[in-house]
């Protein structure tokens, strides 16, 4: 799992204080995806105080800053942090709790934004070989933010990209950098089962979509168990069933919604194919029909081996080899950083964020509170990783 490391000298004390205050301010005033107007202004103001070449507003509430490297002909690399919050009412009880009722930084993006600003500080005062783009990205929770950044064209010419996520399973000072899959695709499906309504006392006069939908739910459980190799992680989950309005009426239709998760592109395709097939064939056996819609979300997140090697070198240099952690089980959560890795080599880190006296609270819950100590670790590791990548790409 990795061991906690001593982290007193990763950033200057005055910068640590500044970044912690920034994190608390962002945490106190969270904003939902693609509505991060005050958050973006606060971060824009932070970036304009740095000796950076340019600072731009992009994709609505996104910010991109360019730090000039020593060699303007060297390849450019990027560091990304996300900035949006979730529709959750906070119950942490800390002094900097959210003042926006029903909105909370329950996934640590306040920390991500702060350590990205910290990385910009460190890179601006110890310049890498080539330019570094600092991305402060909106809308990660919806999966729409990264495509908006890509669509803005700001990544043209970027040779590698790096980012990270707080992880309370690991102590502060432990960082996970491993090649291959570290997050899953996260697609959504909707199945409309169409039958023929009738009086509940005379079911033979109709075609019951509720019974058909129940059979579809059961049959979907065989997709992973019988169509996916046992050693490959995947998930098919039905999250909602809606249909009918009265106990004595068989409705005309029932809708199912759910999520599909896969760690490999080929398995993702198989899930799509099998869900459509199961819905069609099972409903037909009940004299009903199915209309299936599958909405692509984030793709699987696959770290590039070279980029992982640069990150691991940075972690070992800053924190020692004992700080390197590893994921002990597959992560079926989604992460829109995967959109970048579909285009550009990169590495996404899991950065330990639990103090010794903290319990490991799950993300996306009302008591999730990563430690402030993770900020300087993230800032230093991302900055040093960018330097090492820049140096390697320039050679």
């Amino acid at each position: 799992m990795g061991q906690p490391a001593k982290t007193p000298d990763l950033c200057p004390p005055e910068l640590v204080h500044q970044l912690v205050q920034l994190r608390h301010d962002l945490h106190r005033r969270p904003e939902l995806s693609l509505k991060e107007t005050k958050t973006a202004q606060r971060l824009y103001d932070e970036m304009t105080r740095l000796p950076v070449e340019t600072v731009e507003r992009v994709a609505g509430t996104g910010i991109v800053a360019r730090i000039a490297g020593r060699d303007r002909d060297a390849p450019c690399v990027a560091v990304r942090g996300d900035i949006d919050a979730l529709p959750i009412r906070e119950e942490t009880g800390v002094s900097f709790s959210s003042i926006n009722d029903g909105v909370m930084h329950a996934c640590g993006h306040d920390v991500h934004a702060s350590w990205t600003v910290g990385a910009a500080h460190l890179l601006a005062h110890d310049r890498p070989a080539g330019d570094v783009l600092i991305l402060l990205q909106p809308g990660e929770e919806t999966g729409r933010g990264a495509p908006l950044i890509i669509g803005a064209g700001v990544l043209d010419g970027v040779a590698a990209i790096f980012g990270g996520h707080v992880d309370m399973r690991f102590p502060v000072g432990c960082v996970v950098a491993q090649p291959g899959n570290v997050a899953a695709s996260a697609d959504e499906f909707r199945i409309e089962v169409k039958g023929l309504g009738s009086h509940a006392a005379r079911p033979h006069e109709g075609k019951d979509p509720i019974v058909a939908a129940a059979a579809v739910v059961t049959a979907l459980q065989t997709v992973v168990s019988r169509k996916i190799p046992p050693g490959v992680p995947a998930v098919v989950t039905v999250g909602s069933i809606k249909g009918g309005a009265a106990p004595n009426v068989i409705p005309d239709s029932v809708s199912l919604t759910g999520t599909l998760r896969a760690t490999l592109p080929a398995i993702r395709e198989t899930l799509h194919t099998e869900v459509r097939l199961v819905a069609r064939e099972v409903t037909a056996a009940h004299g009903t029909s199915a209309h299936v819609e599958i909405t692509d979300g984030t793709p699987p997140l696959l770290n590039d081996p070279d980029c992982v090697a640069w990150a691991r070198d940075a972690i070992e240099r800053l924190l020692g080899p004992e700080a390197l952690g590893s994921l002990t089980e597959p992560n079926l959560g989604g992460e829109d950083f995967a959109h970048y890795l579909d285009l550009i080599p990169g590495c996404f880190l899991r950065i330990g964020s639990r103090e010794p006296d903290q319990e490991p609270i799950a993300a996306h819950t009302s008591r999730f509170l990563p430690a402030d100590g993770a900020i300087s670790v993230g800032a230093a590791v991302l900055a040093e990783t960018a330097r090492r990548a820049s140096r390697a790409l320039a050679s």
Side-chain angles (χ1 to χ4, degrees), residues 57-323:
R57 298 288 294 269
V58 298
T61 46
I63 298 159
V64 177
R66 181 177 286 268
I67 297 170
R70 297 188 304 276
D71 178 1
R72 301 313 300 273
D73 293 325
C76 178
V77 302
V79 174
R80 172 272 209 173
D82 39 14
I83 70 174
D84 53 330
L86 286 159
I88 293 174
R89 179 169 285 106
E90 182 164 358
E91 295 180 327
T92 63
V94 294
S95 60
F96 52 93
S97 289
S98 170
I99 62 173
N100 296 338
D101 188 41
V103 183
M104 176 192 173
H105 272 295
C107 200
H109 295 186
D110 52 333
V111 177
H112 302 173
S114 300
W115 72 33
T116 304
V117 171
H121 273 268
L122 296 173
L123 288 163
H125 290 96
D126 182 6
R127 295 185 182 275
D131 291 2
V132 176
L133 283 188
I134 301 295
L135 307 178
L136 290 159
Q137 178 211 299
E140 189 280 330
E141 296 294 352
T142 65
R144 296 166 57 193
L148 287 172
I149 294 290
I150 292 167
V154 298
L155 292 177
D156 294 349
V158 171
I161 187 166
F162 302 93
H165 201 295
V166 291
D167 197 323
M168 290 191 72
R169 294 172 297 177
F170 300 94
V172 170
C174 174
V175 185
V176 178
Q178 62 188 51
N181 180 269
V182 293
S185 57
D187 304 326
E188 295 181 358
F189 66 85
R190 179 184 182 86
I191 303 172
E192 190 77 16
V193 180
K194 297 180 180 179
L196 178 64
S198 69
H199 195 295
R202 296 187 290 277
H204 61 286
E205 295 178 355
K207 296 178 180 179
D208 194 335
I210 290 180
V211 172
V216 169
V217 172
T218 299
L220 287 175
Q221 308 315 303
T222 68
V223 171
V224 172
S225 67
R226 290 297 175 268
K227 298 297 182 180
I228 305 301
V232 180
V235 166
V236 176
T237 294
V238 177
S240 76
I241 305 176
K242 298 178 182 178
N248 62 344
V249 177
I250 292 174
D252 287 318
S253 65
V254 173
S255 66
L256 312 174
T257 64
T259 186
L260 307 175
R261 306 292 173 115
T263 55
L264 297 171
I267 299 301
R268 185 188 193 189
E269 278 189 44
T270 299
L271 294 183
H272 288 208
T273 299
E274 292 298 325
V275 166
R276 293 183 188 278
L277 180 63
V278 165
R280 184 177 71 242
E281 298 299 328
V282 171
T283 54
H286 287 77
T288 59
S289 64
H291 176 71
V292 182
E293 294 179 1
I294 297 179
T295 303
D296 286 347
T298 56
L301 194 158
L302 302 171
N303 278 342
D304 176 79
D306 289 338
C307 295
V308 169
W310 298 327
R312 290 175 70 90
D313 286 347
I315 295 161
E316 290 195 35
R317 175 176 126 30
L318 293 171
L319 299 167
E322 69 278 5

